[in-house]
């Protein structure tokens, strides 16, 4: 029998039944086949060597595809496990997935002390095994046989994973002397893995449970070429210099306290000033677009989140309910702002003439992230969202959605995020159990997002299974200065919360109708956004945003009064400035100001004091000459106008 295979360009090729994706690649060219790592068949990533299931769509995946990289890194995790088993017999294995950049494997070394000094030996063994071109062989096994295999091997972690798997769905993958419980997909063989680096190690509780044993998580990365690995390692070194935790401390922006609690940032004066300017920027933009500011409590009755569905879906990730002296009364630290905004909408009768109603709030919410997953400002337990919820008529959804897209793009332009794409996050194509709401409402919501993104000319990718439980969304994926991808900004269409809260408005027909709700947060969370901004700019914020625009440096104590007078004058011109009054040499003051990323240094000595000027130095650029304070103010205004052009 013949099957029809549809390729990404729309062309259709016929092949004999039983043909594999690799066979298709060879029929096109041997050069292509040598580069194929896996294949996407009807949207599912599979081994390139597996027979195609019949008529299908086919995309051949190479290193240039994200799924191709993930396949190589998944196979590299298995290769690392094989190397560890060879070097340290008796090692037991948890899970070993690919991640955004590389892979990890959680392992139990028993009583052995394995540390960074062992990384070179692990890398060497991985390269030795990869050079053997070991074939990855997939085998379907019964649950009984799988249990028997890992019982004999004595690996309790794999046995526990097997408990959750139904019989008939279990597969093993073997390469060389190593066999693992795995769904795949994997490379045809190990030969594409040429460059190897074990990056780091950390503790990781088994299955994320702090009450379970702590395993060793080994992180690694591999590449098809050594130069790519070298370039990546250079990028990692630059990333260390830009780490927002390091720069946040150096720039005096934020801190953490064990007494306050893990994952609860404390904003210092300079960091707070930065936050407030971002908030004011967004408030001004929202005011122009007709938003109304609201404020809601940091807690809410548990029943509020039961009604919204958040308790069912996210209760285990929230702080425990707060009980009160009144029997049966429970509150929760607010995990979401949207249920509160639904109650504001419901607080009085609404007419179609009131819509769209745009409610905005910089609302602080709380999620109980596992301690091992906390990371600076990017993963915290308390964070502030630039949240807004738009209640509109069905015929207004697409227009409102496009206006929010415009607002997100405004933020990106103002902060020089030039490289981004929009991810259309839709339901899982098969498993609908994790979503609430009707099929009809979901179809309408998904179509509105697809059309709005197309009309705004966004470069988009579609990801199935990434929707929120109550509706599809548009997530903006931004590349920073180091080429790393971050999810910043999200817009979601929701037909379901209005149903759950029984929200209504009176239409032009005098009948009662259900509004549609749009959730949006262009920053996402202020904490995460600022973390990404710090690393993107290396702490050199745009002049309009930076906490301190200038520092006045008197050459000696004799000129401190003059420096203070200049500072006060600059403040009347809305220039943020301070005086370095330390009894230090001017060279030291300049060097410290450079390290603190202050954009301008204004030096005052005898000559400047007599002339009523300051000697201006620009951070990283050097001397700009003498200016009066008014001339300096004009320079700052011009630079800011240049940065904000087109905003």
């Amino acid at each position: 029998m013949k099957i029809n295979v549809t390729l990404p360009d729309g062309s259709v090729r016929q092949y004999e039944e039983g043909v594999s994706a690799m066979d298709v690649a060879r029929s096109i060219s041997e050069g292509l086949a040598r580069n194929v790592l896996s294949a996407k068949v009807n949207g599912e990533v599979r081994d390139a060597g597996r027979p195609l299931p019949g008529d299908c769509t086919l995309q051949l995946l190479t290193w240039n595809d994200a799924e191709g990289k993930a396949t190589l890194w998944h196979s590299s995790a298995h290769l690392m496990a094989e190397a560890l088993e060879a070097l340290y017999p008796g090692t037991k294995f948890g899970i070993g997935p690919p991640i955004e950049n590389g892979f990890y494997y959680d392992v139990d070394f028993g009583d052995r002390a394995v540390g960074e000094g062992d990384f070179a030996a692990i890398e060497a063994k991985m390269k030795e095994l990869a050079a053997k071109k070991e074939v990855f062989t997939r085998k379907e096994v019964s649950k009984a046989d799988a249990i028997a295999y890992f019982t004999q091997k004595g690996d309790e972690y794999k046995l526990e994973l097997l408990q959750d798997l139904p019989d008939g769905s279990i597969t093993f993958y073997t390469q060389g002397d190593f066999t693992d419980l795995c769904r795949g997909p994997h490379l045809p063989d190990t030969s594409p893995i040429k460059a190897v680096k074990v990056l780091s190690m950390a503790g990781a509780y088994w299955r994320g449970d702090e009450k379970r044993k702590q395993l060793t998580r080994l992180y690694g990365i591999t590449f098809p070429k050594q130069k790519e690995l070298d370039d990546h390692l250079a990028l990692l070194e630059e990333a260390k210099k830009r780490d927002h935790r390091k720069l946040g401390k150096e720039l005096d922006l934020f801190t953490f306290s064990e007494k306050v609690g893990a994952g609860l940032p404390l904003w210092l004066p300079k960091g707070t000033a930065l936050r407030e300017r971002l908030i004011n920027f967004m408030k001004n933009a929202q005011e122009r677009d007709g938003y109304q500011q609201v404020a809601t409590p940091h807690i809410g009755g548990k029943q509020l989140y039961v009604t919204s569905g958040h308790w069912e879906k996210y209760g285990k990730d929230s702080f425990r309910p707060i009980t009160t002296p009144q029997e049966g009364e429970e509150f929760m630290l607010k995990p979401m702002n949207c249920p509160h905004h639904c109650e504001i909408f419901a607080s009085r009768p609404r007419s179609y003439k009131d819509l769209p109603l745009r409610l905005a709030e910089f609302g602080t919410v709380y999620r109980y992230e596992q301690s091992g997953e906390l990371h600076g400002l990017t993963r915290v337990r308390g964070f502030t969202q630039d949240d807004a919820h738009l209640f509109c008529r069905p015929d207004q959804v697409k227009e409102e959605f496009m206006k929010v897209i415009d607002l997100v793009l405004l933020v990106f332009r103002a902060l020089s995020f030039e490289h981004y794409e929009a991810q259309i996050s839709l339901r899982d194509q098969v498993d609908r159990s994790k979503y609430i709401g009707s099929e009809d409402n979901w179809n309408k919501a998904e179509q509105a997002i697809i059309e709005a993104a197309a009309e705004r000319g966004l470069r988009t990718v579609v990801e199935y299974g990434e929707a929120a439980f109550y509706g599809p969304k548009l997530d903006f994926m931004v590349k920073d200065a180091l080429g790393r991808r971050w999810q910043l900004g999200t817009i979601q269409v929701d037909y379901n919360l209005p149903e759950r809260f029984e929200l209504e408005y009176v239409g032009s027909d005098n009948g009662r109708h259900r509004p549609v709700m749009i959730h949006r947060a262009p920053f996402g969370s202020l904490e995460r956004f600022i973390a990404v901004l710090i690393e993107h700019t290396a702490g050199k914020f745009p002049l309009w945003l930076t906490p301190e625009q200038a520092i006045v440096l008197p050459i000696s104590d004799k000129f401190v009064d003059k420096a203070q007078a200049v500072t006060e004058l600059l403040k009347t011109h809305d220039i943020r400035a301070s005086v370095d009054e330390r009894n230090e040499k001017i060279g030291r003051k300049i060097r410290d100001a450079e390290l603190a990323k202050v954009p301008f240094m204004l030096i005052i000595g005898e000559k400047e004091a007599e002339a009523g000027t300051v000697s201006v130095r620009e951070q990283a650029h050097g001397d700009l000459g003498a200016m009066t304070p008014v001339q300096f103010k004009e320079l700052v205004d011009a630079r800011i106008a240049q940065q904000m052009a087109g905003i």
Side-chain angles (χ1 to χ4, degrees):
M1 289 182 62
K2 297 281 187 179
I3 64 169
N4 295 314
V5 177
T6 304
L7 299 176
D9 64 0
S11 63
V12 178
R13 292 178 175 234
Q14 282 198 333
Y15 295 92
E16 294 292 334
E17 192 175 33
V19 69
S20 70
M22 187 61 78
D23 294 330
V24 174
R26 290 194 187 100
S27 75
I28 297 172
S29 84
E30 284 295 332
L32 172 61
R34 284 193 295 271
N35 289 310
V36 169
L37 303 178
S38 56
K40 187 182 284 189
V41 181
N42 292 332
E44 177 193 2
V45 182
R46 296 159 49 110
D47 302 330
R50 287 181 64 185
L52 298 178
D55 291 350
C56 63
T57 61
L58 172 66
Q59 180 185 353
L60 299 167
L61 301 172
T62 70
W63 180 248
N64 294 325
D65 301 295
E67 299 98 329
K69 287 183 173 69
T71 303
L72 186 131
W73 287 333
H74 189 185
S75 298
S76 298
H78 282 230
L79 183 67
M80 183 167 72
E82 182 186 4
L84 293 174
E85 196 166 70
L87 293 169
Y88 313 106
T91 296
K92 300 173 184 178
F93 299 94
I95 59 171
I99 53 178
E100 186 173 0
N101 283 298
F103 57 90
Y104 69 78
Y105 220 122
D106 289 342
V107 297
D108 183 350
F109 287 111
D111 296 331
R112 290 189 182 88
V114 176
E116 293 185 6
D118 300 292
F119 287 2
I122 297 169
E123 292 165 5
K125 192 66 176 177
M126 289 177 68
K127 290 178 184 176
E128 174 194 325
L129 295 170
K132 293 180 179 181
K133 298 185 178 180
E134 296 176 336
V135 174
F136 285 90
T137 303
R138 181 179 185 272
K139 181 182 179 183
E140 296 180 3
V141 295
S142 69
K143 190 166 186 173
D145 287 346
I147 290 172
Y149 176 83
F150 284 110
T151 299
Q152 182 180 6
K153 192 175 182 183
D155 197 326
E156 65 266 29
Y157 304 107
K158 298 297 182 182
L159 287 169
E160 185 174 332
L161 292 172
L162 278 167
Q163 292 175 8
D164 301 328
L165 300 178
D167 205 352
S169 69
I170 297 167
T171 53
F172 280 3
Y173 276 84
T174 299
Q175 92 275 1
D177 296 325
F178 180 73
T179 295
D180 207 350
L181 171 69
C182 183
R183 287 194 299 265
H186 283 286
L187 301 172
D189 61 58
T190 58
S191 61
I193 303 170
K194 296 289 198 304
V196 176
K197 186 68 177 176
V198 180
L199 295 169
S200 62
M201 64 193 311
Y205 292 106
W206 173 233
R207 308 198 89 168
D209 186 345
E210 295 179 16
K211 297 177 182 176
R212 306 293 296 275
K213 183 170 183 177
Q214 190 176 66
L215 306 182
T216 299
R217 177 168 292 180
L218 278 175
Y219 289 93
I221 196 163
T222 54
F223 289 89
K225 296 179 181 177
Q226 184 63 40
K227 184 180 183 306
E228 290 174 312
L229 174 59
D230 294 340
D231 290 345
H232 180 76
L233 295 177
L235 197 68
L236 290 181
E237 285 303 309
E238 179 61 25
K240 287 180 184 177
K241 298 175 189 175
R242 292 171 177 253
D243 190 318
H244 76 277
R245 296 167 298 175
K246 171 179 175 287
L247 288 177
K249 184 176 181 179
E250 292 174 0
L251 301 178
D252 219 22
L253 299 177
F254 61 88
T255 188
F256 289 90
S257 162
E258 289 184 8
K259 291 181 180 177
V260 172
L264 299 171
L266 299 170
W267 289 94
L268 304 176
K270 289 182 180 178
T272 301
L274 182 72
R275 266 175 66 108
E276 290 303 313
R277 259 181 289 285
L278 284 171
I279 289 172
N280 290 335
F281 172 85
M282 183 58 68
K283 282 183 176 178
N284 290 336
Q286 288 176 164
E287 189 175 344
R288 291 194 299 269
D289 286 349
Y291 286 78
Q292 300 177 61
Q293 288 294 135
V294 297
T296 61
H298 288 251
I299 65 172
K302 177 183 170 182
Q303 190 58 42
L304 178 71
Y305 308 108
V306 171
T307 300
S308 70
H310 290 103
W311 173 253
E312 178 187 355
K313 296 292 182 180
Y314 299 120
K316 65 181 184 300
D317 299 320
S318 300
F319 283 88
R320 294 299 85 199
I322 304 163
T323 58
T324 72
Q326 183 171 323
E327 186 177 348
E329 186 175 54
E330 288 184 300
F331 289 89
M332 289 180 63
L333 286 173
K334 180 170 61 174
M336 296 278 188
N337 296 303
C338 37
H340 296 249
H341 291 189
C342 286
E343 288 299 293
I344 290 176
F345 182 93
S347 64
R348 68 175 179 81
R350 305 286 178 179
S351 160
Y352 73 97
K353 295 179 181 178
D354 299 326
L355 306 182
L357 178 66
R358 308 179 185 96
L359 302 179
E361 176 182 15
F362 284 86
T364 301
V365 297
Y366 303 90
R367 316 269 174 83
Y368 189 76
E369 301 284 358
Q370 296 290 334
S371 60
E373 296 176 345
L374 299 175
H375 183 83
L377 294 180
T378 60
R379 201 77 180 264
V380 290
R381 288 175 172 167
F383 54 94
T384 302
Q385 294 178 308
D386 63 322
D387 225 347
H389 297 93
L390 291 70
F391 300 89
C392 54
R393 304 189 308 266
D395 62 293
Q396 296 171 322
V397 170
K398 190 165 78 171
E399 181 182 357
E400 289 301 306
F401 199 94
M402 288 193 291
K403 287 180 179 177
V404 178
I405 291 175
D406 293 340
L407 183 58
V408 173
L409 300 185
L410 174 76
V411 172
F412 290 170
R413 289 196 301 272
L415 295 165
S416 300
F417 286 111
E418 298 172 358
H419 305 288
Y420 56 84
E421 66 181 8
Q423 176 179 302
I424 301 175
S425 299
L426 306 178
R427 288 168 296 174
D428 189 292
Q429 291 179 293
V430 178
D431 181 11
R432 304 292 213 219
S433 63
K434 50 189 174 181
Y435 310 106
I436 61 175
S438 71
E439 188 76 11
D440 182 54
N441 282 344
W442 271 92
N443 290 336
K444 288 188 289 187
E446 289 178 341
Q447 191 59 33
I449 290 179
I450 292 168
E451 290 179 4
E455 289 192 28
R456 281 297 182 261
L458 296 178
R459 188 161 63 93
T460 60
V461 294
V462 175
E463 291 290 345
Y464 292 97
E466 293 298 316
F469 75 94
Y470 50 75
K473 56 183 180 170
L474 190 69
D475 293 323
F476 287 84
M477 315 302 291
V478 173
K479 274 191 178 180
D480 68 10
L482 298 182
R484 299 170 301 182
R485 293 174 81 248
W486 300 90
Q487 192 261 307
L488 293 179
T490 185
I491 320 172
Q492 303 167 7
V493 177
D494 181 2
Y495 284 81
N496 295 309
L497 280 188
E499 289 276 357
R500 295 177 78 96
F501 281 92
E502 299 181 350
L503 304 182
E504 293 180 335
Y505 67 91
V506 177
S508 58
D509 59 356
N510 241 11
R512 296 190 175 278
H513 301 271
R514 197 76 79 203
V516 183
M517 194 172 174
I518 296 176
H519 307 241
R520 49 110 285 200
F523 290 147
S525 87
L526 276 170
E527 284 70 16
R528 180 180 171 82
F529 189 88
I530 289 172
V532 175
L533 185 61
I534 290 170
E535 298 193 5
H536 178 58
T537 63
K540 299 177 184 178
F541 303 112
L543 190 54
W544 67 269
L545 180 62
T546 192
E548 193 170 33
Q549 295 168 318
I551 186 165
V552 185
L553 308 178
I555 287 179
S556 69
D557 290 347
K558 178 181 175 182
F559 303 106
V560 168
D561 289 345
K562 184 67 174 176
Q564 289 175 337
V566 169
T567 302
E568 292 304 314
L569 178 59
L570 293 175
K571 288 179 180 178
T572 65
H573 290 298
D574 294 325
I575 293 176
R576 301 182 290 279
S578 65
V579 180
D580 185 345
E581 299 184 14
R582 295 177 302 160
N583 187 22
E584 296 283 357
K585 291 183 178 180
I586 192 65
R588 172 64 184 273
K589 291 182 178 182
I590 291 172
R591 186 165 61 253
D592 289 349
E594 289 270 358
L595 291 173
K597 319 287 188 187
V598 181
F600 293 102
M601 290 145 273
L602 311 182
I603 301 166
I604 296 181
E606 191 76 48
K607 182 172 64 174
E608 291 81 12
E610 289 179 359
T613 61
V614 291
S615 181
V616 180
R617 288 181 62 89
E618 186 172 6
Q619 203 267 340
H621 293 286
D623 186 23
L624 299 184
M627 300 181 194
T628 65
V630 172
Q631 288 172 325
F632 175 68
K633 182 256 185 195
E634 292 170 351
L635 171 67
V636 170
D637 288 347
R639 290 288 176 85
I640 291 175
Q642 185 179 23
Q643 288 179 357
M644 302 296 283
I647 304 303

